[in-house]
Amino acid sequence: MSSAEHVEEGYPLAPLHTGGDGPDIHENGLLPNPIILGGGHRRTRSRSGWTPFSKFLAKFYSFRPIVRLLIFLTLGLLPIYYVVIHIGVDLYRYFGRPPRPPGYTWMDEEDIVDNASWPIPPHALPHGELSSQVWKKRAQEVKDAFAHAYHGYETYAFPKDELLPITRGASNYFNGWGVTAVDSLDTMLMMGFEEEYQRGIDLVEKTQYGELDHGVPFFETSIRYFGGILAAYAKTNNSMLLQKADELGEALLPAFDSKAGLPYFSVNPKTGHTEEHWGQDVVILAEMGTCQMVERIRKLMERHQNYLSNNLLSVFFNSASGTPVGAHFSVGALADSAYEYLLKQYLLTNQKETKAMDMYLRATKGIIENLLFISHERQLLFVTDTDGYPARPSYIFEHLSCFLPGLFALGVHTLPLLPPAQRQLHLWIAEGLANTCYLSYMDQKSGLGPDEMQFWMNSEKWYPKYKDWARWARAGDLPPGVVREPKVEKSTSKRDYANRKNTYLLRPETVESFFILYRVTGEEKWRERGYHIFQAIEDKAKTEYGYAGIVGVDMARPSHMDTMPSYFLAETLKYLWLLFAEDDGQYDLKKIVFNTEAHPLPVFEWTAEQIRAWKIPVA
């Protein structure tokens, strides 16, 4: 039979084997298939001829015995080598680390990587003369923006609540007590608007809070009015302001008349009548968590956190029983302030209420392990909410959640007992989240970020990926989701997300985090990024009479909304001004605590009498 005939019948040809223990040779010097190797008789020939395995074996046996032995030893030793190295690295990581200082450590130590870039600078780095002049000019630009917004409000809306910046009208959605003026009191003191400030406190003095005969929202009234009045009092020591704060508090007290002592959504200052908003006997975490200085509320939150294995707090609670409703977990809308105040309550009391710090550290563990995700396309780190058991993520990232990188950075800066490696982990998370918040602005044609983004469902939990990375990371490496220069993506088809709410509402959370990150790290990039956002606000949101929210953030010419929220002056412009202005020590983050509406309150000490009378759990 000729070679050609072998091929026609489907028998591939093989060269003559010239020695060794190989298979038998056909009489014409060719190997037919099937080949019997090692005494086996399993026929593997298909119509296509040689199988990959038979080709491999034929090739293997074509080598000299010494070569075959070397190949065998190499393949056999590789698994042993891997195991030895793997165990060796783990032993080195465990025994080779320096001892950690005493304190709370909630993350598993082997999951946290020390980095050569530590320690973090304790305050903003000094800048050159030219840089100082540039930032002074930019701070003045923000001051001019505040003047434009506030004078528009005073001209067309004062003493009502908020300006309608398109129609030159006014709205009274926040009690009609002049919320923009009261919310802006401490911002005016910061920037030097003395005449405007005086007109503002004149309004406060004239307002009779207990005479209003309809419901007012307890949460918003507390953070905007209470916060504004108390911050102004802390700055000026004007006793009239303290008296008005006391009057306002008396008017709001009936809000706590629920069976569990949790605050109702609204209260009528004149009659004390309360109303619900979220459902029968339902209160949200943000509203109750804002009042955690009330000890029974703190204990209720602590009991709930201890009960759950994920270290988080449910968004909804029953106001009658004080028990959680459902299994919805979030750090965004309806929950954000509660987590923020866990840390800030501890700081505000001069780090005496250690229960609050304990709860904060447990909450950060729960957030890291359950709510942080990373996108597939650009490896963007984001935080989302989950619902049910097992937890189902929504993959929605809210602008409101952009406060979180600032919170993590603030903890790094102010908690002395936080171990260095855990501080580095929290700072990485802060930077990764802040990068995503920044990209949400820069990706858009307007330069302004959407209120909500819907990330794709191929996003994965971040913490398992971090743990995998940590096993082999070297000093100086950055974990997944953290990059020094994030990539802007203008093409909607190539992004990691879609805009779920295509509006920009003049919100402050992103620039708030930039301000804190700059104060903590001293990195100039946070200032530059804040200025990019401010330029976009000037370009797209400014109107003839003030500033307006926009619709269509991914459009070169978005349309305006006829709203200018009070928080734009109280928070957004304040944080931008603080970011650009020279740090003169007045707003040291270890001596001043900003409430959730950006009102600066000084750290204080409980007296021994107060601790005994109110049974305050201090260290």
Side-chain angles (χ1 to χ4, degrees), residues 224-488:
R224 300 193 195 205
Y225 286 102
F226 251 144
I229 294 172
L230 289 175
Y233 168 73
K235 187 71 174 174
T236 64
N237 205 30
N238 184 331
S239 59
M240 179 275 293
L241 293 170
L242 189 60
Q243 178 186 345
K244 299 305 291 188
D246 186 60
E247 290 177 13
L248 178 58
E250 288 289 341
L252 296 180
L253 266 181
F256 292 96
D257 286 346
S258 67
K259 292 180 181 178
L262 302 180
Y264 284 107
F265 172 78
S266 70
V267 58
N268 185 309
K270 187 171 185 177
T271 66
H273 175 70
T274 56
E275 293 183 359
E276 298 172 326
H277 178 75
W278 309 105
Q280 184 175 358
D281 294 332
V282 174
V283 63
I284 62 171
L285 180 61
E287 293 180 353
M288 59 182 278
T290 302
C291 306
Q292 56 189 266
M293 191 172 285
V294 179
E295 184 59 19
R296 65 174 176 269
I297 294 179
R298 167 75 62 72
K299 287 182 177 179
L300 187 152
M301 293 170 63
E302 183 182 10
R303 184 166 63 248
H304 174 49
Q305 190 183 40
N306 290 338
Y307 175 76
L308 292 176
S309 60
N310 63 7
N311 294 299
L312 298 172
L313 295 161
S314 296
V315 168
F316 300 105
F317 277 75
N318 186 291
S319 61
S321 64
T323 56
V325 177
H328 187 68
F329 301 98
S330 173
V331 296
L334 314 183
D336 47 4
S337 300
Y339 290 104
E340 180 182 1
Y341 282 179
L342 290 174
L343 175 62
K344 291 185 176 181
Q345 175 79 3
Y346 173 67
L347 300 179
L348 189 64
T349 59
N350 201 23
Q351 304 192 10
K352 291 298 190 293
E353 292 194 28
T354 54
K355 287 282 187 182
M357 181 185 69
D358 184 33
M359 291 181 67
Y360 168 73
L361 292 174
R362 293 183 60 187
T364 59
K365 183 179 189 297
I367 292 167
I368 291 169
E369 294 182 353
N370 297 283
L371 302 183
L372 292 184
F373 283 73
I374 187 169
S375 68
H376 178 71
E377 287 75 10
R378 284 182 288 175
Q379 299 285 289
L380 300 184
L381 181 63
F382 67 99
V383 62
T384 190
D385 57 309
T386 64
D387 192 67
Y389 295 110
R392 298 182 300 276
S394 70
Y395 302 101
I396 295 171
F397 184 35
E398 304 173 54
H399 191 290
L400 286 169
S401 299
C402 284
F403 85 97
L404 192 62
L407 184 66
F408 270 78
L410 183 63
V412 166
H413 185 62
T414 56
L415 298 181
L417 294 183
L418 201 63
Q422 194 169 344
R423 292 155 75 98
Q424 180 65 86
L425 173 64
H426 284 204
L427 192 68
W428 273 331
I429 291 169
E431 182 168 2
L433 289 172
N435 282 341
T436 304
C437 294
Y438 175 64
L439 286 178
S440 76
Y441 281 72
M442 295 301 103
D443 283 352
Q444 315 302 321
K445 291 183 177 67
S446 70
L448 297 171
D451 205 48
E452 289 184 7
M453 297 178 286
Q454 177 70 64
F455 275 84
W456 307 134
M457 294 179 67
N458 61 358
S459 302
E460 301 176 76
K461 268 191 175 181
W462 178 78
Y463 188 55
K465 295 179 76 69
Y466 169 80
K467 290 172 67 176
D468 291 342
W469 169 85
R471 290 187 177 278
W472 302 102
R474 297 173 296 179
D477 289 351
L478 294 175
V482 182
V483 294
R484 295 304 181 205
E485 293 299 330
K487 178 187 175 184
V488 174

Side-chain angles (χ1 to χ4, degrees), residues 471-596:
R471 290 187 177 278
W472 302 102
R474 297 173 296 179
D477 289 351
L478 294 175
V482 182
V483 294
R484 295 304 181 205
E485 293 299 330
K487 178 187 175 184
V488 174
E489 183 55 76
K490 293 295 185 181
S491 172
T492 56
S493 63
K494 295 179 181 179
R495 288 182 195 156
D496 317 62
Y497 62 88
N499 292 344
R500 188 170 184 266
K501 289 187 177 179
N502 210 31
T503 54
Y504 172 67
L505 304 179
L506 302 172
R507 291 199 189 276
E509 290 79 18
T510 296
V511 295
E512 171 189 359
S513 287
F514 290 178
F515 160 66
I516 298 173
L517 277 161
Y518 173 65
R519 286 291 183 90
V520 172
T521 69
E523 292 185 275
E524 194 88 352
K525 68 180 181 182
W526 301 115
R527 283 178 132 185
E528 292 290 354
R529 292 176 182 182
Y531 190 64
H532 295 161
I533 292 174
F534 175 68
Q535 287 178 305
I537 292 172
E538 285 288 287
D539 184 44
K540 303 299 186 206
K542 190 173 186 178
T543 72
E544 183 179 354
Y545 312 112
Y547 291 82
I550 70 168
V551 177
V553 292
D554 208 17
M555 300 170 62
R557 297 175 63 110
S559 57
H560 286 123
M561 307 167 68
D562 201 11
T563 59
M564 188 178 77
S566 70
Y567 61 69
F568 176 65
L569 295 92
E571 300 186 71
T572 308
L573 292 180
K574 178 186 295 169
Y575 281 127
L576 284 168
W577 185 81
L578 287 169
L579 180 60
F580 303 155
E582 183 180 354
D583 179 13
D584 59 4
Q586 290 190 64
Y587 300 98
D588 186 332
L589 293 177
K590 292 183 178 179
K591 298 177 180 178
I592 293 290
V593 176
F594 290 89
N595 86 332
T596 196

Side-chain angles (χ1 to χ4, degrees), residues 46 126 613:
S46 65

